[in-house]
């Protein structure tokens, strides 16, 4: 016998398996609208021009070495990350009630926050995830040891919009002090975001129930092209309550494989902030010891330089603008085909994804019949569409729904 006899074969990860299947497919018209990763109009990953500049500055700066970073990460990066999400005028920042720790991208930030809450709130605490949510949320909180990971209603299939009543009902029904994971902007997979007024109502219920707000922010600047607008929910909650916000720089900096992220925390006092930071560092030390430098140096170089920051904002507008254009082109193509059903939600939804409304069988048929790779929940990554494949996609969708 070996030590590993009892180890069962794990199923492949849905999203990464989709990418592998797409890459293995030799069909001339294959389309990858699976993984939420930006592609340019030729279907290629896009290294932001401002990132290329920052890379050069870093590589040519021989004052930089490969010494360990502090456990909590590169300070010039984490302080810039907190300022980016909370805003430079944030009372929490200015009163030293906010801290941040560098993490292994957005996933690492969600996991570090989950590990902290498991230790200091207890694994019996109920965790509420939106229904539907990002494919990895449940696994992260389960692996952090939480025993009661449940859903709150979020999406209204009939209207293809927010089910606010359902969400509030579930938040009210949950035990006091539950942990609620909220998507800061560009909800994955639905592309449906609460309006500012709806966020106010959600905050009222969260505070009345003493729930903990755990924001997951993977698309700041990517959703609307406006960094401040995309931070509205987090900044509003920060004026009313303590919170976590997991920050990914994978999409908005195109740094997918550099694994650059931060966990920003808003607390009630500077002393609490320091205590939380010290415990996050202790957890991070036992998980990764200290984080990787290159991606953090790129983001720090850009966020801390006015000219590079301005160029980054332009690069963000290029990405969010192209996504918006694909929304319009897809909508127009379906209108022209007279595809049965209403497709207005393609224009109304925001960020990387459109929740098409296709069911699992239809989503799979898009793959088997037309070599179009999408997740079974009907989600498509708009970044996978280009001016040369959007018609093909529309015709295929038309065929499937007829
Ligand atoms: C809401 C959300 N949170 C966190 C992450 C993780 O990002 P990071 O650890 O910084 O790379 C993603 C990426 N989700 C897209 C990318 C693939 C993945 O599942 O991861 C996706 O849903 O396609 C999210 O969509």
């Amino acid at each position: 016998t070996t030590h590993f006899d009892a180890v069962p074969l794990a199923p492949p990860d849905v999203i990464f398996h989709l990418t592998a299947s797409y890459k293995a497919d030799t069909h001339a018209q294959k389309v990858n609208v699976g993984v939420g990763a930006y592609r340019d109009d030729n279907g290629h990953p896009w290294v932001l021009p401002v990132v290329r500049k920052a890379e050069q500055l870093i590589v040519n700066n021989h004052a930089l070495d490969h010494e360990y970073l502090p456990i909590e990460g590169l300070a010039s990066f984490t302080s810039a990350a907190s300022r980016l999400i909370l805003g430079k005028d944030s009372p929490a920042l200015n009163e030293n009630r906010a801290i941040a720790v560098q993490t292994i991208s957005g996933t690492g930030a969600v996991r570090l926050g989950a590990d902290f809450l498991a230790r200091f709130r207890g694994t019996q605490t109920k965790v509420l995830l939106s229904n539907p949510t990002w494919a990895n949320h449940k696994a992260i909180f389960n692996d952090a040891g939480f025993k009661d990971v449940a859903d709150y209603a979020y999406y209204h299939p009939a209207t293809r919009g927010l089910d606010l009543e359902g969400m509030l009902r579930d938040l009210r029904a949950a035990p006091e002090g539950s942990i609620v994971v909220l998507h800061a902007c560009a909800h994955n997979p639905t592309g449906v975001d609460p309006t500012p007024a709806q966020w106010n109502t959600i905050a009222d219920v969260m505070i009345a129930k003493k729930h903990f707000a755990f924001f997951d922010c993977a698309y700041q600047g990517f959703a609307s092209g406006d960094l401040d607008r995309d931070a509205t929910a987090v900044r509003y909650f920060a004026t009313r309550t303590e919170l976590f916000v997991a920050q990914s720089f994978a999409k908005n900096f195109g740094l997918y494989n550099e694994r650059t992220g931060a966990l920003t925390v808003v607390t009630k006092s500077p002393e609490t902030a320091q205590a939380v930071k010290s415990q996050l560092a202790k957890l991070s030390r036992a998980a990764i010891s200290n984080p990787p430098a290159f991606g953090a140096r790129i983001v720090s170089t850009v966020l801390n330089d006015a000219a590079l920051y301005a160029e980054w904002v332009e690069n963000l507008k290029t990405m969010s603008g192209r996504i918006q254009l694909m929304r319009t082109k897809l909508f127009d193509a379906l209108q022209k085909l007279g595809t049965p059903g209403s497709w207005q939600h393609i224009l109304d939804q925001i960020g990387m994804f459109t929740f098409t409304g296709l069911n699992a069988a239809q989503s799979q048929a898009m793959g088997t019949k037309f070599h179009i790779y999408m997740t079974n929940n009907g989600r498509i990554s708009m970044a996978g569409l280009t001016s040369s494949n959007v018609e093909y996609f529309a015709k295929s969708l038309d065929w499937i729904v007829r």
Side-chain angles (χ1 to χ4, degrees):
T1 62
T2 82
H3 294 273
F4 308 117
D5 277 355
V7 177
L9 183 69
D13 176 83
V14 167
I15 290 172
F16 283 87
H17 182 65
L18 213 49
T19 304
S21 310
Y22 168 79
K23 284 183 175 156
D25 190 339
T26 55
H27 191 265
Q29 286 187 295
K30 65 180 182 176
V31 178
N32 184 6
V33 283
V35 67
Y38 182 79
R39 306 278 180 259
D40 65 18
D41 200 42
N42 300 311
H44 302 143
W46 190 49
V47 179
L48 277 61
V50 78
V51 167
R52 283 289 188 224
K53 280 187 184 170
E55 284 173 341
Q56 285 313 308
L57 290 171
I58 291 160
V59 164
N60 297 329
N61 177 350
H62 294 185
L64 293 176
D65 54 40
H66 294 289
E67 281 298 289
Y68 285 131
L69 289 181
I71 293 171
E72 57 272 8
L74 181 67
S76 63
F77 162 73
T78 51
S79 53
S82 296
R83 197 168 52 246
L84 184 73
I85 186 65
L86 297 178
K88 58 187 183 314
D89 307 328
S90 153
L93 271 179
N94 298 331
E95 294 158 21
N96 297 314
R97 292 185 289 108
I99 55 100
V101 170
Q102 187 182 330
T103 59
I104 305 293
S105 217
T107 302
V110 176
R111 179 59 188 262
L112 179 60
D115 287 340
F116 176 94
L117 292 168
R119 177 164 298 185
F120 292 97
R121 294 293 304 280
T123 52
Q124 78 295 338
T125 311
K126 195 179 188 86
V127 178
L128 289 162
L129 309 174
S130 62
N131 174 21
T133 195
W134 174 43
N136 211 14
H137 273 151
K138 198 165 178 66
I140 293 171
F141 284 92
N142 285 338
D143 286 1
F146 284 97
K147 307 277 180 286
D148 184 4
V149 182
D151 294 341
Y152 59 85
Y154 187 83
Y155 180 72
H156 213 294
T159 62
R160 295 211 169 98
L162 182 70
D163 177 5
L164 182 66
E165 284 325 304
M167 179 175 180
L168 298 176
R169 182 190 62 241
D170 291 346
L171 294 184
R172 288 194 187 99
E176 276 208 350
S178 294
I179 295 159
V180 181
V181 179
L182 300 162
H183 295 237
C185 65
H187 184 269
N188 175 3
T190 67
V192 171
D193 285 356
T195 63
Q198 290 174 326
W199 275 120
N200 293 13
T201 309
I202 294 164
D204 290 344
V205 173
M206 292 275 292
I207 289 163
K209 293 286 295 187
K210 301 187 176 59
H211 290 337
F212 182 72
F214 194 148
F215 279 95
D216 183 357
C217 184
Y219 301 97
Q220 185 182 3
F222 207 98
S224 67
D226 179 335
L227 287 154
D228 295 321
R229 182 174 155 196
D230 289 353
T232 305
V234 173
R235 292 179 187 177
Y236 172 68
F237 268 70
T239 65
R240 296 189 62 183
T241 181
E242 297 177 306
L243 58 84
F244 278 176
V245 48
Q247 296 174 265
S248 166
F249 291 91
K251 291 87 179 179
N252 56 15
F253 266 88
L255 291 174
Y256 299 91
N257 64 7
E258 294 299 339
R259 314 306 297 137
T260 308
L263 180 69
T264 285
V265 181
V266 170
T267 66
K268 284 271 184 273
S269 75
E271 295 73 26
T272 318
Q274 289 312 310
V276 170
K277 185 174 186 175
S278 70
Q279 293 295 346
L280 286 169
K282 189 162 176 281
L283 283 162
S284 201
R285 168 63 167 153
I288 61 167
S289 181
N290 50 89
F294 193 59
R297 283 174 169 161
I298 290 172
V299 175
S300 168
T301 300
V302 173
L303 294 187
N304 291 307
D305 175 282
L308 292 176
Y309 183 91
E311 184 174 352
W312 177 51
V313 169
E314 287 317 301
N315 291 172
L316 276 174
K317 287 192 176 358
T318 299
M319 293 192 283
S320 54
R322 196 185 87 71
I323 295 244
Q324 198 53 46
L325 178 64
M326 287 303 111
R327 289 185 181 280
T328 310
K329 280 184 175 274
L330 177 56
F331 178 79
D332 292 348
L334 294 173
Q335 292 297 93
K336 226 162 61 187
L337 290 166
T339 306
S342 150
W343 301 98
Q344 181 63 31
H345 58 290
I346 293 172
L347 300 176
D348 296 342
Q349 291 171 359
I350 187 167
M352 187 80 89
F353 306 109
T354 288
F355 215 45
T356 59
L358 262 63
N359 63 35
Q362 293 171 319
S363 303
Q364 265 157 2
M366 288 284 272
T368 50
K369 250 196 118 35
F370 298 108
H371 302 268
I372 293 172
Y373 292 82
M374 60 188 284
T375 42
N376 284 350
N377 57 9
R379 179 191 94 168
I380 57 170
S381 170
M382 298 308 289
L385 295 180
T386 66
S387 17
S388 50
N389 71 19
V390 66
E391 297 282 338
Y392 172 69
F393 181 91
K395 283 199 194 87
S396 309
L397 180 61
D398 183 81
W399 191 93
I400 292 283
V401 298
R402 279 188 192 276

